[in-house]
Amino acid sequence: MRAPFLLSALACFAFQSAFANDLVVLKNGDRFSGTIVGLSGGLVQIQSPHSDQPLSIVSDELENLSFEEVEIIEPPAHSHQVNLRNGNVIPGEVTGLDAQNLQFKTWFAGPLSIPRSQIKSVFYGVTPQRLLYQGPDNLEEWDPDEAWEFRDGSLTSNSQSSIAQNLDLPDRFILRFHLSWPNSPSVRIHFCTDADEGKENHDGYSLYFSSRGATLQRAIPPGTDEDKPQVQILGGSSKRTSDFIGRQTTVELRVDRITRRIMLYLDGELQGSFLDPNPAPAGKKVIFESQSSVRGQITLSEIKLHEWDAVTQRLRVEPRQDEESDTLTTDEGDRYSGQILERIESGENSSFKVKSPLLEQIVTIPEKRSAILYFAEGTLPKDSKSSYKLSLASGGEIDLSEIQLTKKSLAGKHPWLGKLTIDRQVVSKISRLSEEKKTVNKEAPKADDPKALKGAQQLRIEIEAN
């Protein structure tokens, strides 16, 4: 039998799990931590230290599932990336190409045969985003003053104070963390600085987050000992506290000190890309500074630092010249438009045959000099509907429906590629797609499989009882 419990009662103790960092997030902002042990037909099972049996969450209010990120024992050597026309991104390795299909090998889902008409582009030279830090795990790894506490995997401030750590920030990195507040936020995140506390940041960046929005600033060191440091506003977001559900948000900063550009995301939405007109600061530290005297004013959790493969970002904004023709772009910027006929396999000397209407003969381009392959638009499949989006720890996103999750694998149906079985360790998040994003090809919408949504009309949380 099943014994139902109130959502609010479970919400209080769901955060007390200290041994697992998987996370279930509902649309109303409620969050439950533990170990996710299953997902099937809209039913999520999460193991909590407070129950011998897994908690079962059945709800169409499910927003996403996040899995604790781990270092993969055998990191993939693939450096290619397929970008499908439905927005999906799949990392792997090109192994073949003919007039109909691209052969693509993935370490996490096996070999794939993808029709050319479904592919927008293929990127070369893309490397996984290496995880450099994940935490917090305790207070000792940080350098706090007495006003900070560590509890249930989170850092909480009790007054105006700073907490810092030398994370040895690389030139290109992604810093992501979850921020929550009970009343009104007043917190400044310093990065690329060598200061010991926030108020001493005279050469670095800072993001000031308040009820009025988020402001990105650059602290410029004084020219002489008598001068005062200057603060220059680079940009920000006007999104106010009232715009965030549950008084919380996930902040992501993508920093490229080589090009002096910073990208700000809030809850996965890009707020802006900002250029620093000054030479980039060289500091290696991150500092979280609470500027409120109210106890428990801010809570920080799910802090992650990755190396950023900025090459991927450059390729994503590379302009496309002609949607009706194939195009091969080399690493030197040369373009060959027309038709990419085939890939000739020859190990490290593999190549592509390209036929151009502007050239008398077919051109052979070494694969190792290839940067981007664009494919001409074609007819897409009629059935293009999914319920979930998978975010991959090695980079990439895949739409799926009819998901079955076990301890070692995840099985589901891709709208174009059919049934896929994916190694669970590569899955970092499962997000429910909004209604407007479910159908890629709107010419032929199709209803969800009713089995996948069975029991998902009423929110309830139950403990399985013997």
PDB file of all heavy atoms in Angstrom, residues 407-418:
ATOM      1  N   LYS A 407      19.805   2.232 -12.741  1.00  0.00           N
ATOM      2  CA  LYS A 407      21.030   2.666 -12.084  1.00  0.00           C
ATOM      3  C   LYS A 407      22.194   2.818 -13.059  1.00  0.00           C
ATOM      4  O   LYS A 407      23.105   3.600 -12.809  1.00  0.00           O
ATOM      5  CB  LYS A 407      21.408   1.680 -10.979  1.00  0.00           C
ATOM      6  CG  LYS A 407      20.431   1.674  -9.803  1.00  0.00           C
ATOM      7  CD  LYS A 407      20.897   0.709  -8.720  1.00  0.00           C
ATOM      8  CE  LYS A 407      19.930   0.727  -7.550  1.00  0.00           C
ATOM      9  NZ  LYS A 407      20.359  -0.193  -6.469  1.00  0.00           N
ATOM     10  N   LYS A 408      22.183   2.081 -14.172  1.00  0.00           N
ATOM     11  CA  LYS A 408      23.321   2.098 -15.086  1.00  0.00           C
ATOM     12  C   LYS A 408      23.017   2.740 -16.437  1.00  0.00           C
ATOM     13  O   LYS A 408      23.945   3.177 -17.124  1.00  0.00           O
ATOM     14  CB  LYS A 408      23.825   0.672 -15.313  1.00  0.00           C
ATOM     15  CG  LYS A 408      24.437   0.039 -14.068  1.00  0.00           C
ATOM     16  CD  LYS A 408      25.020  -1.324 -14.400  1.00  0.00           C
ATOM     17  CE  LYS A 408      25.680  -1.950 -13.170  1.00  0.00           C
ATOM     18  NZ  LYS A 408      26.276  -3.272 -13.480  1.00  0.00           N
ATOM     19  N   SER A 409      21.754   2.797 -16.834  1.00  0.00           N
ATOM     20  CA  SER A 409      21.460   3.288 -18.179  1.00  0.00           C
ATOM     21  C   SER A 409      20.146   4.058 -18.212  1.00  0.00           C
ATOM     22  O   SER A 409      19.349   4.014 -17.272  1.00  0.00           O
ATOM     23  CB  SER A 409      21.404   2.121 -19.175  1.00  0.00           C
ATOM     24  OG  SER A 409      20.308   1.276 -18.869  1.00  0.00           O
ATOM     25  N   LEU A 410      19.956   4.739 -19.323  1.00  0.00           N
ATOM     26  CA  LEU A 410      18.719   5.459 -19.594  1.00  0.00           C
ATOM     27  C   LEU A 410      18.287   5.106 -21.010  1.00  0.00           C
ATOM     28  O   LEU A 410      19.072   5.232 -21.954  1.00  0.00           O
ATOM     29  CB  LEU A 410      18.914   6.965 -19.447  1.00  0.00           C
ATOM     30  CG  LEU A 410      17.688   7.857 -19.673  1.00  0.00           C
ATOM     31  CD1 LEU A 410      17.767   9.110 -18.800  1.00  0.00           C
ATOM     32  CD2 LEU A 410      17.564   8.278 -21.140  1.00  0.00           C
ATOM     33  N   ALA A 411      17.051   4.649 -21.151  1.00  0.00           N
ATOM     34  CA  ALA A 411      16.513   4.302 -22.460  1.00  0.00           C
ATOM     35  C   ALA A 411      15.370   5.248 -22.795  1.00  0.00           C
ATOM     36  O   ALA A 411      14.608   5.669 -21.915  1.00  0.00           O
ATOM     37  CB  ALA A 411      16.018   2.856 -22.474  1.00  0.00           C
ATOM     38  N   GLY A 412      15.257   5.623 -24.058  1.00  0.00           N
ATOM     39  CA  GLY A 412      14.190   6.512 -24.474  1.00  0.00           C
ATOM     40  C   GLY A 412      14.067   6.530 -25.981  1.00  0.00           C
ATOM     41  O   GLY A 412      14.860   5.913 -26.705  1.00  0.00           O
ATOM     42  N   LYS A 413      13.069   7.254 -26.462  1.00  0.00           N
ATOM     43  CA  LYS A 413      12.807   7.340 -27.892  1.00  0.00           C
ATOM     44  C   LYS A 413      13.098   8.739 -28.394  1.00  0.00           C
ATOM     45  O   LYS A 413      12.495   9.705 -27.943  1.00  0.00           O
ATOM     46  CB  LYS A 413      11.353   6.968 -28.179  1.00  0.00           C
ATOM     47  CG  LYS A 413      11.000   6.978 -29.655  1.00  0.00           C
ATOM     48  CD  LYS A 413       9.548   6.592 -29.880  1.00  0.00           C
ATOM     49  CE  LYS A 413       9.194   6.609 -31.360  1.00  0.00           C
ATOM     50  NZ  LYS A 413       7.762   6.256 -31.578  1.00  0.00           N
ATOM     51  N   HIS A 414      14.045   8.825 -29.333  1.00  0.00           N
ATOM     52  CA  HIS A 414      14.353  10.110 -29.959  1.00  0.00           C
ATOM     53  C   HIS A 414      13.376  10.349 -31.106  1.00  0.00           C
ATOM     54  O   HIS A 414      13.000   9.405 -31.812  1.00  0.00           O
ATOM     55  CB  HIS A 414      15.791  10.110 -30.486  1.00  0.00           C
ATOM     56  CG  HIS A 414      16.264  11.441 -30.961  1.00  0.00           C
ATOM     57  ND1 HIS A 414      16.073  11.878 -32.259  1.00  0.00           N
ATOM     58  CD2 HIS A 414      16.898  12.448 -30.309  1.00  0.00           C
ATOM     59  CE1 HIS A 414      16.584  13.088 -32.390  1.00  0.00           C
ATOM     60  NE2 HIS A 414      17.090  13.459 -31.228  1.00  0.00           N
ATOM     61  N   PRO A 415      12.923  11.600 -31.309  1.00  0.00           N
ATOM     62  CA  PRO A 415      11.913  11.845 -32.345  1.00  0.00           C
ATOM     63  C   PRO A 415      12.366  11.485 -33.751  1.00  0.00           C
ATOM     64  O   PRO A 415      11.531  11.200 -34.616  1.00  0.00           O
ATOM     65  CB  PRO A 415      11.640  13.349 -32.218  1.00  0.00           C
ATOM     66  CG  PRO A 415      12.840  13.912 -31.538  1.00  0.00           C
ATOM     67  CD  PRO A 415      13.295  12.834 -30.610  1.00  0.00           C
ATOM     68  N   TRP A 416      13.670  11.483 -34.016  1.00  0.00           N
ATOM     69  CA  TRP A 416      14.179  11.188 -35.351  1.00  0.00           C
ATOM     70  C   TRP A 416      15.036   9.930 -35.394  1.00  0.00           C
ATOM     71  O   TRP A 416      15.003   9.183 -36.357  1.00  0.00           O
ATOM     72  CB  TRP A 416      15.012  12.371 -35.878  1.00  0.00           C
ATOM     73  CG  TRP A 416      14.201  13.584 -36.166  1.00  0.00           C
ATOM     74  CD1 TRP A 416      12.832  13.657 -36.246  1.00  0.00           C
ATOM     75  CD2 TRP A 416      14.691  14.899 -36.415  1.00  0.00           C
ATOM     76  NE1 TRP A 416      12.445  14.942 -36.526  1.00  0.00           N
ATOM     77  CE2 TRP A 416      13.564  15.731 -36.643  1.00  0.00           C
ATOM     78  CE3 TRP A 416      15.954  15.469 -36.475  1.00  0.00           C
ATOM     79  CZ2 TRP A 416      13.666  17.090 -36.924  1.00  0.00           C
ATOM     80  CZ3 TRP A 416      16.070  16.815 -36.756  1.00  0.00           C
ATOM     81  CH2 TRP A 416      14.939  17.625 -36.985  1.00  0.00           C
ATOM     82  N   LEU A 417      15.822   9.705 -34.363  1.00  0.00           N
ATOM     83  CA  LEU A 417      16.796   8.619 -34.368  1.00  0.00           C
ATOM     84  C   LEU A 417      16.249   7.314 -33.815  1.00  0.00           C
ATOM     85  O   LEU A 417      16.930   6.297 -33.836  1.00  0.00           O
ATOM     86  CB  LEU A 417      18.050   9.026 -33.596  1.00  0.00           C
ATOM     87  CG  LEU A 417      18.741  10.301 -34.083  1.00  0.00           C
ATOM     88  CD1 LEU A 417      19.944  10.622 -33.195  1.00  0.00           C
ATOM     89  CD2 LEU A 417      19.167  10.173 -35.538  1.00  0.00           C
ATOM     90  N   GLY A 418      15.017   7.345 -33.259  1.00  0.00           N
ATOM     91  CA  GLY A 418      14.422   6.134 -32.720  1.00  0.00           C
ATOM     92  C   GLY A 418      14.880   5.839 -31.303  1.00  0.00           C
ATOM     93  O   GLY A 418      15.252   6.737 -30.543  1.00  0.00           O
TER      94      GLY A 418
END
